[in-house]
Amino acid sequence: MKNACIFYYNLNPEVIHQKDGVYYFKINEERYYLFPCYRSREELNSIYKISSELINKNIYVHQIVLNKDNNIITIIDNIMYVLLKIYIKENEFINVDNISYLTNNTLIKKEKDILIQKDWASLWEVKNDYLEYQISQFGVKYKSVAASFSYYIGIAENAISYARNTLIENKDRINLSIAHRRITSTNTNLDLYNPLEFIIDYRVRDIAEYVKSCFFDNKKELLEIIIKFFNNVRPNNFEARMFYARLLYPTYYFDIFENIVDEEIEESELDKIVSMSHEYELFLKSVFIYLSNNYYMPEITWLIKS
């Protein structure tokens, strides 16, 4: 890998470290990470343009370093890599302030871009169809999954209806900003400011995924996190309702389900999630009460009245 750094980037690190397929090194106190990349070339071109604009505005996302041929991608041993230069303390865990800052300072005005993934209802419907096919194929093998799947697919259908009705009834301005494919409570600044993880979506996507992850990692004071974000970002009514729709959608369950089917983790990993289903319902109810004091929030009757 050292020879590749010299040849493609004219960089000669003394020591190169590797973890989970990612290589990293320092040169004169400047930090670099060489990431395997699975984004399309069209996506990468948009990411490069957006991240360059952000850096020019003093928003220090990781900088994509072009190789000697002025290409974003470098192929090394038949694997596509992108080199990033790091400006921030990459090992600090993210928090609501980090998320608020990036959300507030990366508003995207364009309405068409390959990175935009704002049609949640349609995307979730496709996901549900795929998962239902998976359970029809593997349900017999995974008894615990088969026993809990109907409950979570039902919650997902509620989320889809809530998001779709919100879009139909919306009269507010739709704000888009930089978001991520998935944000969790264990992410660090290395993840948050990594442009290879960027998408464009509603301003509430990341905070909703962060809060869900925090809940199942047993982090406390989640309502305070939500209130702080809403005070920092000031979402409109449309965004508040979409935030709630995303809290409803059980990515926390489906992500583990897919990993089980792919035989990456044991089925027992799902037990904690399922055992906390009632507690999460109570959490959703408390969030609804907070939001409904400030926004027009249609009820999900079975959840609120339970």
Side-chain angles (χ1 to χ4, degrees), residues 248-264:
L248 279 169
Y249 192 78
T251 47
Y252 52 86
Y253 176 92
F254 293 147
D255 286 350
I256 294 176
F257 166 69
E258 289 188 274
N259 288 334
I260 291 170
V261 171
D262 292 338
E263 299 185 342
E264 295 177 2

Side-chain angles (χ1 to χ4, degrees), residues 162 244 248 281-289 292 297-306:
Y162 208 89
Y244 197 66
L248 279 169
E281 286 181 14
L282 294 176
F283 171 65
L284 286 172
K285 187 172 181 178
S286 68
V287 174
F288 178 85
I289 292 169
S292 61
M297 301 290 296
E299 279 191 1
I300 297 175
T301 305
W302 72 266
L303 180 62
I304 304 306
K305 300 296 184 185
S306 63

Side-chain angles (χ1 to χ4, degrees), residues 45-102:
N45 287 334
S46 181
I47 286 170
Y48 180 74
K49 182 178 179 181
I50 289 172
S51 59
S52 297
E53 291 171 352
L54 293 177
I55 292 170
N56 288 335
K57 294 177 181 177
N58 297 321
I59 301 170
Y60 290 107
V61 301
H62 309 332
Q63 179 183 356
I64 295 174
V65 180
L66 301 180
N67 64 24
K68 66 182 180 66
D69 299 315
N70 283 322
N71 291 328
I72 297 171
I73 296 172
T74 299
I75 299 176
I76 304 170
D77 295 332
N78 295 318
I79 298 175
M80 295 192 303
Y81 288 93
V82 176
L83 183 65
L84 302 179
K85 186 175 182 180
I86 311 300
Y87 293 105
I88 45 83
K89 293 181 179 179
E90 66 267 39
N91 294 321
E92 292 183 350
F93 287 107
I94 65 172
N95 55 46
V96 63
D97 292 319
N98 304 140
I99 297 170
S100 298
Y101 172 80
L102 199 60

Side-chain angles (χ1 to χ4, degrees), residues 172-288:
D172 290 318
R173 175 182 175 181
I174 293 180
N175 298 303
L176 300 176
S177 68
I178 292 298
H180 301 75
R181 292 184 288 186
R182 182 75 81 249
I183 281 288
T184 72
S185 63
T186 59
N187 283 155
T188 64
N189 283 334
L190 183 63
D191 308 300
L192 187 68
Y193 293 99
N194 183 350
L196 301 181
E197 295 298 322
F198 286 175
I199 59 171
I200 297 171
D201 207 336
Y202 302 127
R203 297 191 300 168
V204 293
R205 178 191 178 113
D206 279 356
I207 190 62
E209 293 299 331
Y210 176 74
V211 166
K212 283 190 286 189
S213 178
C214 284
F215 181 90
F216 290 101
D217 285 339
N218 295 311
K219 294 187 184 295
K220 307 301 181 183
E221 301 178 343
L222 296 187
L223 200 56
E224 286 81 356
I225 289 174
I226 293 170
I227 292 170
K228 189 171 188 180
F229 178 85
F230 273 66
N231 287 338
N232 288 341
V233 176
R234 303 289 181 184
N236 58 34
N237 201 89
F238 168 76
E239 291 169 315
R241 288 176 59 173
M242 293 302 279
F243 168 75
Y244 197 66
R246 195 153 198 105
L247 281 189
L248 279 169
Y249 192 78
T251 47
Y252 52 86
Y253 176 92
F254 293 147
D255 286 350
I256 294 176
F257 166 69
E258 289 188 274
N259 288 334
I260 291 170
V261 171
D262 292 338
E263 299 185 342
E264 295 177 2
I265 60 175
E266 296 296 321
E267 188 177 5
S268 59
E269 294 289 322
L270 207 57
D271 293 344
K272 177 183 176 182
I273 298 295
V274 175
S275 69
M276 296 176 72
S277 60
H278 180 64
E279 190 178 349
Y280 191 68
E281 286 181 14
L282 294 176
F283 171 65
L284 286 172
K285 187 172 181 178
S286 68
V287 174
F288 178 85

